[in-house]
């Protein structure tokens, strides 16, 4: 929330429901992280059961989110889980130890692989690579050039008792992060992330609920840097956001920088067990969107880690998110079946930074980025507030 100067609180985001998955015969109990995948802003994919002629039947339903009127496509399938390619109309289905990839336009199977060990977790990394995690190893399957998945690194022992919930890489596939959750005896859910560097062949486990990589040019640098964002929270305390510029150092840029700032969780008793569940980074605006289990969005600055503001966007758990195409917000799927569009309110954010937080450097940088993206309505406002 942000103050408008008169003491009233205004939300930093606007929330809209664009799809209700239950409208497509998807039962609420099947709307969860195991059955529903949203790998980009284009599609939501769900494996579910429906009842016909007194029999339970299985199928895969895909909802197209980028058309003006989202519409579903469904096929009978015995797959355990499914995920759309983030860019092209390729559908990946996982059953047992096998993953098959189908071209929806050509209506034929394009690729198939079968692992020797059970598949514990899998996801699209980009439009060409699927990550496959077994009980011991992490593999990358490049469908453009490899017939078989290739081993990348070995899982750390600390993840053995965790439920795996996320796997992220940088764009060059040189840095990887595998995240799992486990529950303490106190009932608090904790996160562990295994970081791995392909170049240095080093691995490290850290306490972190979610991680995101991005390519970003800091204000003082002429070149892009690879950056990792790490969200943490100690049970019963406030959280931390770490922004780390990863090596090696790029000639012409300033020395590698690290920034840490507080993540301010609600102190209400009902949210004492809240924790981050996803991070999305807008490279074009330099904003970090952190979604929490109890439906809070935490908006932060990418260059400093500063927590700009918070808004509770839903009382239901959002278990998967994706950055919107324009970088001005995120999409999220909640446990009650709603696909939500969460968009920043630029004018309110700028007012809050300038008048309440007194963060003039962040205010000016964001104002310039908003104006650069043809937001003519904001430009006179930002010019006026810069001069007063």
């Amino acid at each position: 929330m942000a103050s408008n100067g008169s003491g009233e609180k205004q939300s930093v985001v606007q929330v809209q429901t664009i799809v209700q998955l239950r409208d497509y015969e998807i039962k609420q109990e099947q709307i969860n992280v195991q059955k529903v995948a949203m790998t980009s802003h284009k599609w939501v994919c769900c494996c579910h059961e429906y009842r016909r002629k007194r029999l339970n039947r299985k199928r895969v339903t895909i909802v197209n989110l980028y058309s003006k009127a989202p519409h579903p496509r469904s096929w009978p399938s015995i797959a355990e889980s499914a995920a759309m390619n983030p860019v092209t109309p390729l559908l990946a289905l996982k059953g047992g130890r096998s993953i098959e990839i189908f071209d929806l336009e050509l209506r034929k199977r394009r690729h198939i692989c079968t692992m020797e060990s059970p598949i514990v977790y899998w996801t699209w990394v980009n439009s060409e690579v699927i990550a496959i995690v077994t009980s011991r190893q992490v593999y990358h399957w490049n469908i453009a050039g490899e017939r078989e998945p290739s081993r990348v690194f070995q899982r750390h022992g600390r993840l053995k008792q965790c439920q795996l919930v996320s796997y992220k890489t940088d764009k060059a596939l040189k840095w990887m992060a595998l995240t799992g959750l486990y529950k303490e005896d106190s009932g608090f859910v904790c996160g562990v992330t295994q970081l791995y560097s392909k170049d240095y062949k080093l691995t490290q486990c850290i306490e972190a609920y979610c991680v995101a990589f991005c390519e970003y040019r800091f204000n003082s640098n002429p070149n892009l840097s690879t950056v990792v964002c790490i969200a943490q929270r100690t049970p019963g305390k406030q959280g931390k956001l770490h922004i780390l510029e990863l090596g090696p150092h790029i000639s012409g840029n300033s020395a590698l920088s690290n920034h840490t700032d507080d993540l301010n969780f609600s102190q209400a008793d009902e949210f004492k067990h809240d924790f981050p569940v996803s991070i999305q980074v807008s490279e074009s605006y330099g904003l970090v969107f952190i979604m929490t289990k109890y439906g809070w969005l935490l908006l932060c600055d990418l260059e400093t880690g500063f927590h700009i503001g918070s808004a509770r966007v839903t009382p239901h758990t959002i278990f998967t998110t994706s950055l919107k195409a324009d970088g001005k917000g995120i999409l999220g799927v909640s446990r009650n079946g709603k696909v939500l569009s969460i968009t920043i309110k630029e004018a309110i954010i700028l007012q809050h930074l300038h008048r309440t937080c007194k963060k003039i450097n962040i205010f000016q940088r964001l104002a310039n980025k908003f104006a650069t993206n043809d937001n003519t309505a904001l430009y006179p406002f930002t010019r006026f507030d810069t001069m007063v």
Side-chain angles (χ1 to χ4, degrees):
M1 303 295 285
S3 174
N4 63 1
S6 62
E8 296 179 3
K9 295 294 184 179
Q10 296 177 296
S11 177
V12 295
V13 295
Q14 179 181 2
V15 183
Q16 293 179 305
T17 300
I18 56 175
V19 171
Q20 171 54 265
L21 296 180
R22 288 183 292 171
D23 293 342
Y24 308 128
E25 297 185 275
I26 302 173
K27 298 178 181 178
Q28 183 167 343
E29 59 267 25
Q30 298 177 2
I31 301 173
N32 54 52
V33 69
Q34 288 80 26
K35 295 293 185 180
V36 178
M38 183 169 60
T39 50
S40 73
H41 65 277
K42 292 187 172 184
W43 297 285
V44 172
C45 187
C46 182
C47 281
H48 61 105
E49 294 183 352
Y50 68 106
R51 193 166 182 82
R52 284 290 186 274
K53 297 180 179 179
R54 299 182 181 180
L55 296 175
N56 288 329
R57 304 179 186 274
K58 293 183 177 182
R59 67 179 175 184
V60 173
T61 295
I62 299 168
V63 182
N64 179 340
L65 299 177
Y66 61 88
S67 62
K68 291 184 178 179
H71 62 278
R73 299 174 64 187
S74 294
W75 299 268
S77 174
I78 59 172
E80 300 161 1
S81 57
M84 285 292 293
N85 184 292
V87 178
T88 58
L90 297 177
L91 172 63
L93 301 175
K94 181 257 181 186
R97 301 184 181 186
S98 297
I99 296 177
E100 301 181 9
I101 300 175
F102 294 85
D103 189 317
L104 299 184
E105 291 184 342
L106 299 180
R107 297 187 178 184
K108 70 175 186 179
R109 189 174 70 185
R110 290 267 299 269
H111 309 277
I112 183 173
C113 80
T114 301
M115 306 297 294
E116 293 182 357
S117 302
I119 299 172
V120 179
Y121 182 85
W122 69 282
T123 186
W124 288 96
V125 171
N126 55 39
S127 61
E128 295 183 346
V129 176
I130 289 179
I132 301 173
V133 184
T134 66
S135 60
R136 295 178 178 272
Q137 309 290 343
V138 177
Y139 298 85
H140 283 179
W141 181 26
N142 189 325
I143 62 173
E146 299 176 7
R147 293 185 178 181
E148 299 294 333
S150 58
R151 179 187 175 278
V152 183
F153 63 94
Q154 183 173 323
R155 281 181 56 177
H156 196 281
R158 285 191 63 188
L159 290 168
K160 185 175 181 181
Q161 303 301 323
C162 294
Q163 176 189 355
L164 300 183
V165 294
S166 175
Y167 180 80
K168 298 294 179 67
T169 73
D170 69 327
K171 292 181 180 178
L173 301 182
K174 293 185 177 181
W175 292 91
M176 297 85 181
L178 178 64
T179 301
L181 302 178
Y182 68 95
K183 183 176 288 188
E184 291 186 329
D185 293 339
S186 63
F188 198 90
V189 176
C190 297
V192 176
T193 295
Q194 178 183 359
L195 295 174
Y196 179 77
S197 167
K198 182 178 180 181
D199 288 346
Y200 300 111
K201 293 181 172 55
L202 293 175
T203 192
Q204 179 183 5
C205 264
I206 60 173
E207 300 291 332
Y209 287 95
C210 45
V211 170
F213 296 94
C214 68
E215 302 292 317
Y216 184 75
R217 186 182 69 81
F218 289 90
N219 257 9
S220 59
N221 292 340
N223 304 304
L224 290 170
S225 301
T226 299
V227 179
V228 61
C229 303
I230 301 170
Q232 299 176 323
R233 189 186 187 188
T234 303
K237 299 181 180 180
Q238 292 292 8
K240 294 287 184 181
L241 173 62
H242 302 275
I243 310 289
L244 286 74
E245 191 177 359
L246 299 172
H249 175 261
I250 300 174
S251 178
N253 282 359
S254 302
L256 298 178
S257 63
N258 299 329
H259 299 278
T260 299
D261 212 330
D262 292 334
L263 291 176
N264 300 313
F265 285 80
S266 172
Q267 294 302 294
D269 190 62
E270 62 181 306
F271 302 122
K272 65 181 180 180
H273 292 299
D274 201 8
F275 59 87
V277 294
S278 74
I279 299 182
Q280 298 294 336
V281 180
S282 173
E283 297 170 347
S284 55
Y285 292 97
L287 292 172
V288 181
F289 301 89
I290 301 175
M291 203 69 228
T292 79
K293 176 179 173 61
Y294 287 87
W296 286 87
L297 176 72
L298 313 182
L299 181 66
C300 303
D301 174 52
L302 178 57
E303 294 214 11
T304 64
F306 176 70
H307 185 174
I308 298 172
S310 304
R312 196 176 191 201
V313 299
T314 175
H316 304 279
T317 298
I318 290 183
F319 59 87
T320 183
T321 62
S322 179
L323 188 70
K324 295 182 68 174
D326 60 6
K328 294 183 180 181
I330 62 173
L331 301 175
V333 182
S334 67
R335 286 295 303 272
N336 72 335
K338 289 183 178 180
V339 180
L340 301 176
S341 172
I342 306 164
T343 308
I344 58 174
K345 294 181 178 179
E346 300 170 14
I348 292 175
I349 290 171
L350 292 176
Q351 284 182 338
H352 179 62
L353 285 170
H354 186 270
R355 297 173 179 171
T356 305
C357 301
K358 309 299 183 184
K359 295 288 184 178
I360 305 303
N361 289 338
I362 301 176
F363 161 79
Q364 290 177 334
R365 176 167 22 91
L366 276 180
N368 289 334
K369 289 180 180 294
F370 292 153
T372 300
N373 285 272
D374 297 325
N375 199 321
T376 54
L378 277 178
Y379 189 66
F381 162 78
T382 58
R383 282 287 301 276
F384 173 78
D385 264 4
T386 303
M387 293 185 288
V388 296

